[in-house]
Amino acid sequence: MIIKRIQVENFRNIKHAELEFCEGVNIFYGDNAQGKTNMLEAISLCLGKGFRRARTASLVPFHGEIETAPDTSLTLFYEYETTPGKENIINYRIINGRASVDINGISLKSAADLYGELKHVVFAPEHLFLVKGAAELRRIYIDNIALMQHKAHKRAIADYTAALKQLAALNSEIIASPDTVRNTRDMIGIWSDILIRQGINLTYGRLKYFELLRNTAINLYDELTVGREELGVMYRSNVFGDIQDRLPDFNDKDGLYKAYVDMLNKYQIYGQRDFRVRVGAHRDDLAFFINGVNAREFGSQGQIKSISLILKLAEAEIIRNHNRETPVILLDEVLGELDGKRRDYVINKLNRSQVFITSCDYQDYENSEDLRAIHVKRGSFSASGGGRFNLL
Ligand code: ATP
Ligand code: MG
């Protein structure tokens, strides 16, 4: 897909902006705290998910003494590559603290329903911690790959998360009053069943793309290191064990159900202190190896950064190879963290995509054939750079 333009009204520190984009590299540049990332976030919200995972209330402009915030409206105009010339419009609004979205005038139940519709990849500084950071980051990473391709995954995540929450609440009720009504115990049975079934679906959704991800990442890493280092990728299922090559048989639903129940029984389904469910798909993880050695423990900083980079590029590659649309890439300040060699590799890899970048300057991209540099100052946007740069 290609994003043609955006209109922003009352979003964080941006009062009003109307921008046109080129099909190549679009750079928001300027000093710190001017609104570069805010604009990238506005674009990502229109694509179905704000990459900062911020509360809706924090998106509206600070309004101090005034009780009601002004209405927020983000309108994104885009085309699919498969239907060039046909403009589509996404409108994301926040009115009285409530977010709503419509696509070509048709309203959606929730903004999150958009996710997956418009193919894109976000690369933000937190992704440089994909290898070393908390396991949750890696789960979100693989879930996002699955979500982008496979709508049913959304349901599995939502139901699984709801079951975890309900079980924690019901368990604390039972602990608080052990002779509690039967009803509570019945409800525990119902939610445990949902937890197990959706736990299997969640694992299935992730593993469906894991193999693809592993192969793509291994090839890209080989290319980046010119064959000098070999990457290994493993899915660590908390229930089904480490998975490197042999995937569980997802047609054998009864067998999987039994394996899941056995695991829960073995480890006791609930922790003693905080009522949280102790085993399950919410504790899965990914592990990475370089020449057979665990990168998280033994990798150098450069190797760890390279794997993170490759994981994001693999995400883009998977979308590109499995859809008729090229993903749009949103890069928030990450390239500055990379050395020249890695930066060139990324820029080169992404040159077929439409890219949006925030950066303090635009020197690194001066050689890009199709470049639009947009200067950002105190929430206002203006084209600059002159010469070969497109003007707004
Ligand atoms: P950096 O180079 O440091 O990353 P940036 O240009 O990306 O800077 P942004 O993250 O876009 O900066 O933030 C710009 C400003 O927007 C910040 O000063 C922040 O305080 C302000 N801001 C954030 N949320 C709101 C809001 N809800 N209302 C008004 N201003 C906000
Ligand atoms: Mg920023």
Side-chain angles (χ1 to χ4, degrees), residues 164-173 175 268-279 282-283:
L164 276 180
K165 234 165 119 180
Q166 292 291 340
L167 284 168
L170 288 166
N171 266 295
S172 53
E173 250 174 60
I175 306 270
Q268 291 194 322
I269 185 163
Y270 311 111
Q272 295 298 320
R273 270 180 306 120
D274 53 8
F275 320 120
R276 268 186 302 175
V277 179
R278 286 287 182 209
V279 283
H282 60 297
R283 312 201 81 182

Side-chain angles (χ1 to χ4, degrees), residues 15 20-21 38 44 142 144 171 180 225 245 270 374 376:
K15 206 168 162 356
E20 278 187 22
F21 300 123
N38 290 349
S44 78
I142 186 120
N144 280 349
N171 266 295
T180 186
T225 61
D245 315 302
Y270 311 111
I374 298 167
V376 187

Side-chain angles (χ1 to χ4, degrees), residues 36-37 52 332-333 358:
K36 305 183 294 292
T37 302
R52 279 171 165 172
D332 188 21
E333 210 81 57
T358 66

Side-chain angles (χ1 to χ4, degrees), residues 12-13 31-38 52 58 60-62 333:
R12 292 200 187 262
N13 77 333
D31 294 341
N32 293 131
Q34 302 302 312
K36 305 183 294 292
T37 302
N38 290 349
R52 279 171 165 172
S58 65
V60 299
F62 301 145
E333 210 81 57

